Amino acid sequence: MNTHRQPWGVSGPVEGSAPARTLDVRWIHGSPSAKHNTDPDIQVHAYDEHTFILRQNMAIDYEAPFLFLLFGETRAVLIDTGATASAEYFPLRRVIDEVVEEWLAAHPRDGYELLVLHTHPHGDHIAGDGQFTGRPDTKVVDAALDSAWDFFGFQDDPGSVARVDLGDRVLECLATPGHHEAAVTFFDPWTGFLLTGDTVYPGRLYVEDWPAFTRSLDRLIDFCADRPVTHVLGCHIEMTRQRGRDYPVRTTYQPDEPPLQMTTDQLRDIRAAIDIVGDRPGRHAFADFVICRDDAPGGD
């Protein structure tokens, strides 16, 4: 584990060049042992000059979640805060401050705000929230159902599409329960990213509410039919490149990972898998994902 404050690892363009919009990234994916870990605590990939994807080091937490930092004209949003509270071991606040400082140097303005939102309130997505306590011009929206739903306006109409305006960059937000009752999916028209949290990703899709999960997949498919979605991005990679095979839980070295990005066709694959699984509990492996029904007797 890297206990020293090493610089965040940037993958992307060389200094002074315009970032190319690419997800052809070699994500940090762990080490054979913590002793041999040389990865940065947080990898930062500049997708473009206003869009950053971060991944936590597996030596710090095996979940190795992905986080997303998006810049608008008047404020930025950080979606999720990772799996580790300690700023010593997981210096998220420092890294975010450095990226924001560099962005503001290129795009000067006063009173620039940071909004912190979440895909859902599981611990590996909210642990770093406390690092932003007291940060100037910062609002952290609690990920719990009542507070998140109040912020998005889903209490009165969970089927609505909420909009979060960053200043000439407006995110569309949907309630997508199933993995968790408070799960939210974000669509960013600037990049075409559909940010699905733990609802959809190349890994184990843990379902706590099967009917809600089914409705959420139907809604996402319908939503994408009217949007220029370029990539479906979840928060983890747990599959290998071998069809239908995932890494064991708590794996900290994943050298054979597939890409993070999925497609809208794979949303339809998951929906078809739902029909195949039917009422059967437990674990069901498919080519690009595994469905794990936690809601039914005998589920994982």
Side-chain angles (χ1 to χ4, degrees):
M1 181 181 297
N2 291 343
T3 59
H4 60 289
R5 289 176 169 269
Q6 73 177 70
W8 41 280
V10 180
S11 57
V14 297
E15 185 175 355
S17 66
R21 286 189 162 194
T22 180
L23 289 176
D24 184 16
V25 185
R26 182 61 169 170
W27 297 109
I28 56 174
H29 53 266
S31 306
S33 71
K35 177 182 177 181
H36 297 96
N37 173 48
T38 59
D39 289 336
D41 298 325
I42 302 169
Q43 179 182 8
V44 180
H45 172 64
Y47 178 75
D48 63 31
E49 64 176 319
H50 308 299
T51 308
F52 296 81
I53 304 173
L54 296 75
R55 192 186 198 181
Q56 184 170 349
N57 188 328
M58 283 191 166
I60 298 171
D61 191 283
Y62 73 92
E63 295 278 12
F66 289 83
L67 324 175
F68 303 89
L69 179 63
L70 315 178
F71 288 87
E73 289 289 338
T74 58
R75 60 179 173 173
V77 64
L78 174 63
I79 299 176
D80 286 348
T81 62
T84 302
S86 169
E88 178 183 1
Y89 293 103
F90 181 56
L92 180 62
R93 162 75 181 273
R94 176 175 64 82
V95 168
I96 295 299
D97 285 350
E98 289 173 356
V99 178
V100 171
E101 181 180 350
E102 291 188 9
W103 189 88
L104 286 174
H107 309 277
R109 63 207 63 209
D110 296 326
Y112 195 72
E113 299 176 352
L114 177 66
L115 176 65
V116 180
L117 300 176
H118 307 85
T119 59
H120 64 292
H122 283 154
D124 55 318
H125 299 263
I126 64 170
D129 281 13
Q131 294 189 34
F132 296 90
T133 300
R135 185 184 188 277
D137 300 315
T138 300
K139 178 181 178 62
V140 179
V141 177
D142 190 282
L145 183 68
D146 288 346
S147 50
W149 260 221
D150 182 64
F151 175 82
F152 291 112
F154 295 151
Q155 294 282 23
D156 296 329
D157 185 5
S160 64
V161 176
R163 289 172 173 80
V164 175
D165 191 352
L166 307 179
D168 290 336
R169 186 175 190 173
V170 181
L171 306 184
E172 294 185 284
C173 314
L174 295 80
T176 48
H179 171 71
H180 190 283
E181 63 177 354
V184 178
T185 292
F186 301 86
F187 175 64
D188 172 35
W190 172 264
T191 57
F193 287 173
L194 187 73
L195 306 177
T196 52
D198 282 4
T199 299
V200 172
Y201 66 96
R204 294 177 292 275
L205 309 183
Y206 293 102
V207 181
E208 69 172 19
D209 185 329
W210 190 243
F213 184 70
T214 303
R215 289 192 297 270
S216 291
L217 261 295
D218 285 336
R219 188 177 186 205
L220 288 176
I221 291 167
D222 290 343
F223 180 87
C224 291
D226 297 323
R227 305 298 192 288
V229 176
T230 57
H231 301 289
V232 177
L233 300 177
C235 287
H236 303 280
I237 301 173
E238 294 167 349
M239 301 303 289
T240 70
R241 291 181 182 270
Q242 299 180 55
R243 292 170 61 84
R245 180 170 296 182
D246 58 331
Y247 283 100
V249 177
R250 298 185 180 277
T251 295
T252 57
Y253 181 46
Q254 299 186 170
D256 192 34
E257 288 185 341
L260 170 66
Q261 63 269 25
M262 299 179 78
T263 67
T264 54
D265 283 343
Q266 287 170 301
L267 294 179
R268 290 185 280 273
D269 291 343
I270 295 171
R271 183 59 184 86
I274 289 173
D275 289 338
I276 292 170
V277 171
D279 293 331
R280 292 180 294 146
R283 171 191 165 95
H284 307 271
F286 296 87
D288 304 321
F289 53 86
V290 178
I291 293 179
C292 300
R293 288 195 60 179
D294 287 350
D295 64 312
D300 289 344

